[in-house]
mmCIF file of all heavy atoms in Angstrom:
data_model
loop_
_atom_site.group_PDB
_atom_site.id
_atom_site.type_symbol
_atom_site.label_atom_id
_atom_site.label_comp_id
_atom_site.label_asym_id
_atom_site.label_seq_id
_atom_site.Cartn_x
_atom_site.Cartn_y
_atom_site.Cartn_z
ATOM 1 N N ASN A 32 93.717 99.489 96.635
ATOM 2 C CA ASN A 32 94.960 99.559 95.853
ATOM 3 C C ASN A 32 95.692 100.877 96.091
ATOM 4 O O ASN A 32 96.914 100.904 96.193
ATOM 5 C CB ASN A 32 94.665 99.394 94.366
ATOM 6 C CG ASN A 32 94.271 97.979 94.019
ATOM 7 O OD1 ASN A 32 94.574 97.038 94.744
ATOM 8 N ND2 ASN A 32 93.579 97.824 92.911
ATOM 9 N N ARG A 33 94.921 101.977 96.178
ATOM 10 C CA ARG A 33 95.517 103.285 96.402
ATOM 11 C C ARG A 33 96.244 103.309 97.743
ATOM 12 O O ARG A 33 97.366 103.828 97.849
ATOM 13 C CB ARG A 33 94.435 104.369 96.372
ATOM 14 C CG ARG A 33 94.966 105.762 96.233
ATOM 15 C CD ARG A 33 93.869 106.833 96.144
ATOM 16 N NE ARG A 33 92.775 106.471 95.267
ATOM 17 C CZ ARG A 33 91.510 106.297 95.676
ATOM 18 N NH1 ARG A 33 91.195 106.438 96.945
ATOM 19 N NH2 ARG A 33 90.569 105.981 94.821
ATOM 20 N N HIS A 34 95.635 102.735 98.756
ATOM 21 C CA HIS A 34 96.256 102.700 100.084
ATOM 22 C C HIS A 34 97.542 101.870 100.067
ATOM 23 O O HIS A 34 98.564 102.287 100.609
ATOM 24 C CB HIS A 34 95.281 102.131 101.108
ATOM 25 C CG HIS A 34 95.875 102.006 102.463
ATOM 26 N ND1 HIS A 34 96.422 100.838 102.936
ATOM 27 C CD2 HIS A 34 96.041 102.918 103.445
ATOM 28 C CE1 HIS A 34 96.891 101.039 104.156
ATOM 29 N NE2 HIS A 34 96.669 102.292 104.488
ATOM 30 N N ALA A 35 97.495 100.708 99.445
ATOM 31 C CA ALA A 35 98.668 99.833 99.404
ATOM 32 C C ALA A 35 99.808 100.487 98.623
ATOM 33 O O ALA A 35 100.972 100.424 99.035
ATOM 34 C CB ALA A 35 98.303 98.490 98.783
ATOM 35 N N ARG A 36 99.484 101.132 97.510
ATOM 36 C CA ARG A 36 100.504 101.789 96.691
ATOM 37 C C ARG A 36 101.110 102.974 97.439
ATOM 38 O O ARG A 36 102.326 103.174 97.426
ATOM 39 C CB ARG A 36 99.886 102.264 95.370
ATOM 40 C CG ARG A 36 100.905 102.649 94.332
ATOM 41 C CD ARG A 36 100.281 103.054 93.009
ATOM 42 N NE ARG A 36 99.497 101.981 92.428
ATOM 43 C CZ ARG A 36 98.176 102.043 92.227
ATOM 44 N NH1 ARG A 36 97.495 103.114 92.558
ATOM 45 N NH2 ARG A 36 97.533 101.027 91.684
ATOM 46 N N SER A 37 100.275 103.732 98.127
ATOM 47 C CA SER A 37 100.747 104.873 98.896
ATOM 48 C C SER A 37 101.655 104.431 100.035
ATOM 49 O O SER A 37 102.712 105.030 100.275
ATOM 50 C CB SER A 37 99.551 105.647 99.455
ATOM 51 O OG SER A 37 99.986 106.670 100.298
ATOM 52 N N THR A 38 101.266 103.364 100.719
ATOM 53 C CA THR A 38 102.075 102.825 101.812
ATOM 54 C C THR A 38 103.435 102.376 101.298
ATOM 55 O O THR A 38 104.471 102.653 101.919
ATOM 56 C CB THR A 38 101.354 101.637 102.478
ATOM 57 O OG1 THR A 38 100.073 102.074 102.922
ATOM 58 C CG2 THR A 38 102.139 101.087 103.642
ATOM 59 N N MET A 39 103.428 101.705 100.161
ATOM 60 C CA MET A 39 104.674 101.225 99.566
ATOM 61 C C MET A 39 105.591 102.397 99.209
ATOM 62 O O MET A 39 106.778 102.388 99.529
ATOM 63 C CB MET A 39 104.378 100.402 98.311
ATOM 64 C CG MET A 39 105.603 99.817 97.657
ATOM 65 S SD MET A 39 105.261 99.086 96.064
ATOM 66 C CE MET A 39 104.889 100.523 95.091
ATOM 67 N N ARG A 40 105.043 103.417 98.587
ATOM 68 C CA ARG A 40 105.845 104.568 98.184
ATOM 69 C C ARG A 40 106.417 105.299 99.397
ATOM 70 O O ARG A 40 107.573 105.741 99.384
ATOM 71 C CB ARG A 40 105.007 105.533 97.351
ATOM 72 C CG ARG A 40 104.702 105.009 95.971
ATOM 73 C CD ARG A 40 103.801 105.951 95.220
ATOM 74 N NE ARG A 40 103.540 105.448 93.890
ATOM 75 C CZ ARG A 40 102.542 105.883 93.123
ATOM 76 N NH1 ARG A 40 101.705 106.797 93.561
ATOM 77 N NH2 ARG A 40 102.365 105.385 91.916
ATOM 78 N N THR A 41 105.610 105.417 100.441
ATOM 79 C CA THR A 41 106.054 106.097 101.651
ATOM 80 C C THR A 41 107.213 105.363 102.300
ATOM 81 O O THR A 41 108.207 105.976 102.713
ATOM 82 C CB THR A 41 104.886 106.214 102.653
ATOM 83 O OG1 THR A 41 103.811 106.902 102.021
ATOM 84 C CG2 THR A 41 105.313 106.963 103.901
ATOM 85 N N ILE A 42 107.098 104.049 102.380
ATOM 86 C CA ILE A 42 108.159 103.277 103.036
ATOM 87 C C ILE A 42 109.438 103.271 102.200
ATOM 88 O O ILE A 42 110.536 103.259 102.744
ATOM 89 C CB ILE A 42 107.677 101.853 103.371
ATOM 90 C CG1 ILE A 42 108.499 101.287 104.521
ATOM 91 C CG2 ILE A 42 107.730 100.929 102.192
ATOM 92 C CD1 ILE A 42 107.829 100.168 105.258
ATOM 93 N N ILE A 43 109.308 103.338 100.886
ATOM 94 C CA ILE A 43 110.494 103.420 100.018
ATOM 95 C C ILE A 43 111.213 104.756 100.244
ATOM 96 O O ILE A 43 112.442 104.803 100.344
ATOM 97 C CB ILE A 43 110.100 103.240 98.536
ATOM 98 C CG1 ILE A 43 109.713 101.790 98.284
ATOM 99 C CG2 ILE A 43 111.229 103.655 97.613
ATOM 100 C CD1 ILE A 43 109.099 101.536 96.939
ATOM 101 N N LYS A 44 110.432 105.840 100.362
ATOM 102 C CA LYS A 44 111.029 107.144 100.623
ATOM 103 C C LYS A 44 111.755 107.147 101.967
ATOM 104 O O LYS A 44 112.825 107.737 102.106
ATOM 105 C CB LYS A 44 109.949 108.230 100.624
ATOM 106 C CG LYS A 44 109.419 108.552 99.256
ATOM 107 C CD LYS A 44 108.302 109.564 99.327
ATOM 108 C CE LYS A 44 107.648 109.732 97.976
ATOM 109 N NZ LYS A 44 106.460 110.595 98.038
ATOM 110 N N LYS A 45 111.170 106.479 102.950
ATOM 111 C CA LYS A 45 111.780 106.413 104.276
ATOM 112 C C LYS A 45 113.121 105.681 104.222
ATOM 113 O O LYS A 45 114.094 106.097 104.845
ATOM 114 C CB LYS A 45 110.826 105.707 105.241
ATOM 115 C CG LYS A 45 111.248 105.758 106.667
ATOM 116 C CD LYS A 45 110.194 105.154 107.580
ATOM 117 C CE LYS A 45 110.626 105.229 109.026
ATOM 118 N NZ LYS A 45 109.639 104.643 109.924
ATOM 119 N N VAL A 46 113.169 104.584 103.453
ATOM 120 C CA VAL A 46 114.421 103.834 103.314
ATOM 121 C C VAL A 46 115.479 104.701 102.646
ATOM 122 O O VAL A 46 116.636 104.734 103.076
ATOM 123 C CB VAL A 46 114.213 102.533 102.502
ATOM 124 C CG1 VAL A 46 115.530 101.851 102.215
ATOM 125 C CG2 VAL A 46 113.294 101.585 103.243
ATOM 126 N N ARG A 47 115.091 105.420 101.598
ATOM 127 C CA ARG A 47 116.056 106.259 100.873
ATOM 128 C C ARG A 47 116.598 107.386 101.732
ATOM 129 O O ARG A 47 117.747 107.798 101.572
ATOM 130 C CB ARG A 47 115.394 106.831 99.620
ATOM 131 C CG ARG A 47 115.202 105.797 98.544
ATOM 132 C CD ARG A 47 114.679 106.411 97.278
ATOM 133 N NE ARG A 47 114.499 105.397 96.255
ATOM 134 C CZ ARG A 47 113.571 105.434 95.329
ATOM 135 N NH1 ARG A 47 112.736 106.451 95.278
ATOM 136 N NH2 ARG A 47 113.461 104.478 94.439
ATOM 137 N N GLN A 48 115.772 107.902 102.660
ATOM 138 C CA GLN A 48 116.221 108.988 103.521
ATOM 139 C C GLN A 48 117.147 108.482 104.621
ATOM 140 O O GLN A 48 118.190 109.064 104.887
ATOM 141 C CB GLN A 48 115.027 109.696 104.156
ATOM 142 C CG GLN A 48 114.244 110.536 103.181
ATOM 143 C CD GLN A 48 112.969 111.095 103.793
ATOM 144 O OE1 GLN A 48 112.604 110.731 104.898
ATOM 145 N NE2 GLN A 48 112.297 111.956 103.051
ATOM 146 N N GLU A 49 116.745 107.371 105.276
ATOM 147 C CA GLU A 49 117.490 106.909 106.442
ATOM 148 C C GLU A 49 118.635 105.963 106.088
ATOM 149 O O GLU A 49 119.670 105.977 106.743
ATOM 150 C CB GLU A 49 116.534 106.234 107.431
ATOM 151 C CG GLU A 49 115.505 107.193 107.994
ATOM 152 C CD GLU A 49 114.555 106.528 108.953
ATOM 153 O OE1 GLU A 49 114.823 105.386 109.371
ATOM 154 O OE2 GLU A 49 113.537 107.148 109.286
#
Side-chain angles (χ1 to χ4, degrees):
N32 288 338
R33 195 178 316 117
H34 177 264
R36 194 177 300 116
S37 174
T38 303
M39 182 189 69
R40 288 176 179 163
T41 303
I42 204 159
I43 288 171
K44 287 176 188 174
K45 189 175 181 181
V46 173
R47 287 186 180 148
Q48 288 173 352
E49 296 179 13

